[in-house]
Amino acid sequence: MSARDIAERLRELRHLTAARIGLRRAGTAQMTSDILAFDLACAQARDAVSAPLDVARLLTDLAPLDCIAVHSAAADRPEYLLRPDLGRRLDDASAACLTHDNFDLVIVLGDGLSHRAVQTHGPPMVRALMLRLAHLRIAPIVIAQQARVAIADDVGERVGARAAVILIGERPGLSTHDSLGIYMTYEPRVGRSDAEKNCISNIHDNGLSHAQAADQLANLLERAYVRRVSGIALNTTNERLAKPGDSQRLPSGGQEGRLRKPE
């Protein structure tokens, strides 16, 4: 294969992936444009991790939905990064402001490791979910700062939700710095393991769309309410999806006949 053929193949591959493949050279060095693009990606990743979440803007973008702003037990960003355990629990003031009730679902927006992901994709993702989950009794939206995934278990237990969902910023990379992840837990409570959660990841402009992610989550929730489990147990194959009478335990509007295989 000639050098020209190789260059053409690499050009074709670069259209299919955000990975840095077949980088061009200028003599013995990389092209200046590629070096600058790499430096920009590094800066965007650092900013995504370190910059604070703009809660006021998020509240405006989510209006007129009822929202509550809370904070984890991690006092600031340095402590959050050094003490993941503190990001999994609410601080005392936040815990006191949550009211226990019989909700079907609570949705948490957590900054996680990318404030930009939540700032950009959080509001449209919530709106997409509300369209599909209108039949559920949903608690006020919770906006959590310095949050890890498991903070949704603490929130869900305190508000009495049958299921908890957290939309959280994923760890940024050098190709995507604003990727959103979704984690769902049935019967949330402090101490739930990762194996008891379902995850939908890579929600961003060049990844999974808001509509696709909302469809997948609605499907997961529907199955979770029928089987009363989440995580690995929900994904186990060769088991009956429902037992006699389970359709009566679905939240208002749920339909057992609509169960389908996840996308």
Side-chain angles (χ1 to χ4, degrees), residues 71-94:
H71 203 286
S72 78
D76 51 32
R77 204 60 175 173
E79 186 172 51
Y80 168 83
L81 295 173
L82 291 171
R83 293 285 305 275
D85 58 310
L86 296 180
R88 301 183 184 117
R89 297 294 301 271
L90 295 166
D91 63 15
D92 292 340
S94 298

Side-chain angles (χ1 to χ4, degrees), residues 8-19 21:
E8 181 60 32
R9 292 288 180 87
L10 288 174
R11 275 195 294 271
E12 292 174 357
L13 287 174
R14 280 195 290 269
H15 287 296
L16 302 176
T17 177
I21 59 173

Side-chain angles (χ1 to χ4, degrees), residues 2-230:
S2 68
R4 180 175 295 181
D5 290 336
I6 293 174
E8 181 60 32
R9 292 288 180 87
L10 288 174
R11 275 195 294 271
E12 292 174 357
L13 287 174
R14 280 195 290 269
H15 287 296
L16 302 176
T17 177
R20 288 172 171 78
I21 59 173
L23 296 179
R24 301 162 298 169
R25 305 192 70 82
T28 59
Q30 290 182 354
M31 295 284 287
T32 300
S33 59
D34 290 338
I35 295 174
L36 292 176
F38 181 83
D39 289 343
L40 174 61
C42 287
Q44 289 175 326
R46 287 193 296 268
D47 287 348
V49 172
S50 59
L53 182 68
D54 189 341
V55 176
R57 176 185 160 195
L58 204 53
L59 289 170
T60 299
D61 292 343
L62 288 168
L65 294 174
D66 189 11
C67 299
I68 301 174
V70 300
H71 203 286
S72 78
D76 51 32
R77 204 60 175 173
E79 186 172 51
Y80 168 83
L81 295 173
L82 291 171
R83 293 285 305 275
D85 58 310
L86 296 180
R88 301 183 184 117
R89 297 294 301 271
L90 295 166
D91 63 15
D92 292 340
S94 298
C97 77
L98 296 179
T99 302
H100 190 279
D101 204 340
N102 295 318
F103 294 106
D104 294 319
L105 177 69
V106 61
I107 299 174
V108 181
L109 275 70
D111 49 7
L113 291 172
S114 174
H115 80 286
R116 191 177 299 276
V118 179
Q119 208 84 61
T120 303
H121 302 293
M125 192 69 242
V126 169
R127 287 193 290 271
L129 289 175
M130 289 299 187
L131 288 174
R132 292 158 176 80
L133 305 176
H135 60 285
L136 299 181
R137 186 165 186 253
I138 301 177
I141 306 298
V142 175
I143 300 171
Q145 291 180 275
Q146 314 301 356
R148 299 281 177 174
V149 170
I151 200 170
D153 297 334
D154 195 1
V155 171
E157 184 175 13
R158 291 182 185 277
V159 303
R162 293 183 64 192
V165 165
I166 184 167
L167 317 180
I168 192 165
E170 297 181 318
R171 182 183 64 186
L174 294 178
S175 58
T176 304
H177 63 282
D178 63 346
S179 181
L180 189 74
I182 300 178
Y183 292 81
M184 183 274 289
T185 310
Y186 183 77
E187 291 187 347
R189 61 176 180 270
V190 173
R192 284 290 200 188
S193 70
D194 291 343
E196 296 172 294
K197 305 179 191 303
N198 295 91
C199 175
I200 301 169
S201 63
N202 290 301
I203 303 165
H204 54 86
D205 290 342
N206 296 313
L208 201 64
S209 71
H210 303 138
Q212 290 172 320
D215 285 341
Q216 290 189 20
L217 181 59
N219 176 270
L220 283 171
L221 283 167
E222 190 175 16
R223 295 170 58 218
Y225 287 129
V226 170
R227 294 186 57 183
R228 293 177 291 168
V229 293
S230 57

